[in-house]
Amino acid sequence: MHWFTCCGEYFLYDVESGSLHSVDKIIYDILEGKTEGYTAEDLSDAKAEMDELKKLGLIDAPAPKVDNLILGDEVKSICLHLSHDCNLRCKYCFAGQGAYHGERMNMPIEVAKAAVDFLIEKSGNRHTLEIDFFGGEPLMNMQVMKDTVNYIEEQCKIHNKKFKLTTTTNGILLSKEISDYLNEKMDNVVMSVDGRKSVHDNARPTPNGKGSFDLIIDKFKYFRSIRGNKDYFIRGTFTHDNLDFSKDVLYINELGFDQISMEPVVLPESNPMAITEKDLPGLLAEYETLVSEYISRRKDKSSWFSFFHFLVELENGPCYKKRLVGCGAGGEYLAVTPDGNIYPCHQFAGEKDYLIGNVFDKKLNEDIRNIFKNSNLMTKSACKNCWARYHCSGGCNANAIHYNGDINKPYNLACALVKKRLECALYVYAKEFGEIY
């Protein structure tokens, strides 16, 4: 069980049953081992209430038995790096400002087609497959994107497959013509905005050092105006330079966007933009500041918005297997670079130690894949008893490897933020849907 406070209210969450309860302070204090100041009768009544919940299987539920988790070889999703180049020079970019610390290049159509063929061949009996057009900046290779989409549509008919397509863009090249095309062809479009103009311009300059906010914001507004109810995200990154990131989230909402994500940057501590342990207390408080305003705005249609990290599904969430293994990087999810090389995910692109294969010969290094396929909640000692384990699935494997040198050692800083975001998400769920039994 996990008990916590959020915005001055008390909650009890049962990890195995997934039940969430709004509780009185006396129950919270009993769980904390603080019983002074309460009468014997009050304590007896509170404990009786908890005993009844336990009988119903709503708290202190036992963990199910987990047999050896054997994952198949099928691939269902690829991140297609259309371009290892970018027309921005974001200061925090993990991809070496678009070039992935290598040669700046675009993906030829022959590689893109081979990647589609590879995915279809390796997908087995899976009907629905996914491709994310990624970069660098993928719109710098727009014709290949269009030609690839045409090829996918042809192959869907031949192989009886369905593709869900996504792209991520910084917006510099997002003309009305391209917006109309993406609106028609993409199942989801992710647009990068870091928040207030000063924050965005500082973090995401152009190659000449000038800010990019004014170059992209009207283009993103146009795309939102034509998107209707289709999926999209405004995706931001906060750093040490804007620890008051709730202001950036709310500012983006005020610009007219209602699907928002704001991710913490992941950088070495030597980088001045890095988030460190010293920043944690302020960041945890900042999430509560955000969730309080979030609840308020969602009551008004004119200001309603969805924040990605405050979304949680307790009744019909991911299947148990998905909760144990997470994103599937290295297994059912792979990344393909412009030269056709295959890596566990986009964050390993260009790293020779994690080169899995190539889309032309289709031979995969199963030893590398098995590092990822064999990693799950049962192999991560820090996760086995963590109350948030079924929602984060052990965290990002790339961060674990890059910052701890071990796929089975989660990145602690991210863990702390994930837990706080989940508490806020549970708070939102309780306020909007009531208790779940």
Side-chain angles (χ1 to χ4, degrees):
M1 296 186 297
H2 175 66
W3 49 96
F4 64 98
T5 64
C6 189
C7 297
E9 298 185 36
Y10 301 90
F11 298 92
L12 173 60
Y13 173 64
D14 188 71
V15 176
E16 298 298 341
S17 70
S19 60
L20 173 66
H21 310 272
S22 177
V23 299
D24 294 331
K25 188 175 187 297
I26 184 173
I27 290 181
Y28 182 86
D29 284 343
I30 289 172
L31 293 167
E32 287 280 284
K34 301 175 182 178
T35 58
E36 293 182 5
Y38 295 105
T39 67
E41 183 179 0
D42 287 340
L43 292 172
S44 177
D45 290 345
K47 290 178 180 178
E49 183 179 344
M50 292 175 65
D51 288 341
E52 182 63 23
L53 291 175
K54 186 174 181 178
K55 287 180 183 179
L56 294 172
L58 297 177
I59 62 171
D60 208 15
K65 182 181 179 181
V66 180
D67 296 323
N68 291 334
L69 192 63
I70 301 175
L71 302 180
D73 295 326
E74 294 179 351
V75 181
K76 75 169 187 178
S77 176
I78 60 173
C79 181
L80 199 62
H81 291 219
L82 283 187
S83 180
H84 274 191
D85 199 358
C86 191
N87 41 22
L88 289 183
R89 296 294 182 265
C90 301
K91 296 177 182 178
Y92 53 69
C93 183
F94 76 91
Q97 298 180 331
Y100 287 82
H101 310 286
E103 179 184 354
R104 294 189 182 275
M105 61 187 299
N106 284 338
M107 179 178 285
I109 185 58
E110 294 77 15
V111 173
K113 287 182 176 180
V116 174
D117 294 340
F118 165 84
L119 177 56
I120 291 173
E121 180 179 318
K122 297 296 184 180
S123 65
N125 294 324
R126 288 184 179 272
H127 175 65
T128 302
L129 308 178
E130 301 169 0
I131 288 184
D132 180 12
F133 294 105
F134 201 67
E137 172 51 45
L139 301 192
M140 292 180 74
N141 200 7
M142 191 65 205
Q143 189 57 53
V144 169
M145 179 190 288
K146 290 181 177 180
D147 292 343
T148 305
V149 170
N150 290 339
Y151 185 70
I152 288 170
E153 291 173 347
E154 294 171 359
Q155 297 305 305
C156 283
K157 297 175 183 177
I158 296 172
H159 298 281
N160 189 30
K161 300 284 188 180
K162 177 183 178 181
F163 277 72
K164 291 186 175 181
L165 306 179
T166 300
T167 194
T168 300
T169 179
N170 62 32
I172 297 295
L173 298 175
L174 193 63
S175 65
K176 287 189 176 182
E177 178 185 356
I178 293 176
S179 287
D180 293 342
Y181 176 84
L182 297 181
N183 186 46
E184 177 187 357
K185 298 296 185 179
M186 297 294 133
D187 294 277
N188 201 352
V189 176
V190 181
M191 300 175 284
S192 298
V193 181
D194 282 353
R196 293 160 289 179
K197 175 178 165 60
S198 59
V199 170
H200 181 96
D201 284 346
N202 173 61
R204 302 178 65 82
T206 60
N208 64 9
K210 295 182 179 181
S212 60
F213 184 87
D214 290 339
L215 299 176
I216 55 95
I217 199 63
D218 287 339
K219 297 174 182 179
F220 285 166
K221 287 181 178 179
Y222 172 74
F223 185 83
R224 178 65 191 100
S225 73
I226 65 172
R227 192 59 173 166
N229 293 324
K230 296 180 182 178
D231 288 339
Y232 81 95
F233 267 110
I234 294 293
R235 198 273 194 197
T237 299
F238 69 85
T239 73
H240 184 78
D241 291 346
N242 62 315
L243 298 175
D244 58 347
F245 67 88
S246 69
K247 295 178 181 177
D248 295 295
V249 174
L250 299 175
Y251 176 73
I252 292 170
N253 174 231
E254 288 160 7
L255 291 176
F257 301 103
D258 57 1
Q259 304 295 325
I260 303 170
S261 172
M262 184 67 70
E263 307 286 340
V265 75
V266 179
L267 290 170
E269 283 197 14
S270 58
N271 191 304
M273 299 184 84
I275 293 171
T276 68
E277 295 282 347
K278 293 181 181 179
D279 297 323
L280 276 179
L283 290 177
L284 302 187
E286 192 70 9
Y287 276 115
E288 286 214 15
T289 298
L290 177 58
V291 78
S292 179
E293 181 64 20
Y294 182 71
I295 289 289
S296 176
R297 293 195 181 194
R298 284 170 65 87
K299 296 176 182 178
D300 185 343
K301 288 185 178 180
S302 65
S303 59
W304 184 99
F305 75 103
S306 174
F307 184 64
F308 180 77
H309 289 303
F310 291 168
L311 302 177
V312 65
E313 177 56 76
L314 298 184
E315 294 179 283
N316 299 302
C319 67
Y320 195 67
K321 177 180 174 182
K322 182 70 173 177
R323 292 179 187 270
L324 293 177
V325 301
C327 71
E332 61 185 21
Y333 167 71
L334 299 169
V336 179
T337 54
D339 53 8
N341 283 338
I342 302 170
Y343 296 89
C345 81
H346 59 287
Q347 294 201 57
F348 291 98
E351 297 185 28
K352 294 180 180 179
D353 290 344
Y354 292 95
L355 175 60
I356 290 177
N358 190 278
V359 294
F360 288 107
D361 63 30
K362 300 178 182 178
K363 296 178 182 178
L364 301 179
N365 186 323
E366 293 300 331
D367 289 338
I368 296 177
R369 289 190 79 195
N370 286 336
I371 294 172
F372 293 83
K373 289 164 59 179
N374 293 334
S375 177
N376 54 68
L377 286 185
M378 300 301 105
T379 65
K380 300 180 180 184
S381 59
C383 299
K384 288 182 179 179
N385 296 314
C386 175
W387 71 270
R389 59 187 178 272
Y390 295 138
H391 295 276
C392 79
S393 305
C396 174
N397 288 331
N399 288 345
I401 290 173
H402 289 149
Y403 291 90
N404 289 333
D406 186 341
I407 195 172
N408 290 315
K409 291 183 179 180
Y411 180 49
N412 290 336
L413 194 62
C415 291
L417 296 178
V418 165
K419 291 174 186 176
K420 186 58 184 181
R421 293 195 303 242
L422 182 53
E423 287 180 346
C424 289
L426 292 171
Y427 172 74
V428 172
Y429 201 100
K431 299 297 284 186
E432 296 192 345
F433 298 101
E435 295 187 19
I436 300 302
Y437 293 104

